[in-house]
Amino acid sequence: MTTAARLIVGVVLIVAGWLKIGNPPLSAQAVKAYKLLPDSVATIVGYGLPILEIVVGVLLVVGLLTRVAGLIAGLLMLAFVFGIAWAWGHGYKIDCGCFGGGGELPAGQEPSYLLDILRDFGLVLLSAWVVRFPPGRFALDAALGLAGERQTRDIEEDD
């Protein structure tokens, strides 16, 4: 189960980051659309977020520093849930920018806030699973002995 959770969260983060990394100004625009941060901070977040998503996603996929990566992924997803709920609560009609794009939606187009929140909250739950349980058989943490004694024993019992 943990391997599946790692892979799902990791792949989602890699895809999200990859789709944004080629156009940092658009990523910054997406962050600014939430009106949660000062423009200068939103620009920094917009430029840095795709890199962070890719790095954390790769760590999860390969199973290295699994608990730390899972914790960061979960916190990112909670921040995304908060941001989307904030935009919804304030009546903003924006594209979440989760997989590229972002900013104000064209007239007549409605946001999909509920689906975005449910998706991201599901990823929060998977991230919590990754933090709580051993990294799984196919994790570098286990192969390198970084899983910890209890986790290594749990992995061996699963084999």
Side-chain angles (χ1 to χ4, degrees), residues 54-129:
I54 291 169
V55 168
V56 172
V58 168
L59 288 173
L60 286 169
V61 167
V62 300
L64 185 60
L65 303 172
T66 307
R67 282 191 157 164
V68 172
L71 179 62
I72 294 169
L75 291 173
L76 277 172
M77 294 303 154
L78 279 175
F80 298 156
V81 166
F82 176 81
I84 295 165
W86 169 274
W88 195 2
H90 283 81
Y92 304 148
K93 291 191 175 189
I94 62 173
D95 178 329
C96 76
C98 303
F99 296 96
E104 302 230 2
L105 291 171
Q109 190 174 354
E110 292 297 317
S112 58
Y113 293 140
L114 181 59
L115 291 176
D116 294 337
I117 288 171
L118 291 174
R119 177 201 60 227
D120 289 352
F121 192 73
L123 293 168
V124 167
L125 295 176
L126 290 174
S127 297
W129 183 280

Side-chain angles (χ1 to χ4, degrees), residues 132-145:
R132 171 63 181 92
F133 294 100
R137 291 186 190 115
F138 305 108
L140 281 179
D141 281 347
L144 298 173

Side-chain angles (χ1 to χ4, degrees), residues 38-54:
D39 278 358
S40 59
V41 176
T43 299
I44 293 168
V45 170
Y47 276 71
L49 186 60
I51 296 165
L52 180 62
E53 289 173 327
I54 291 169

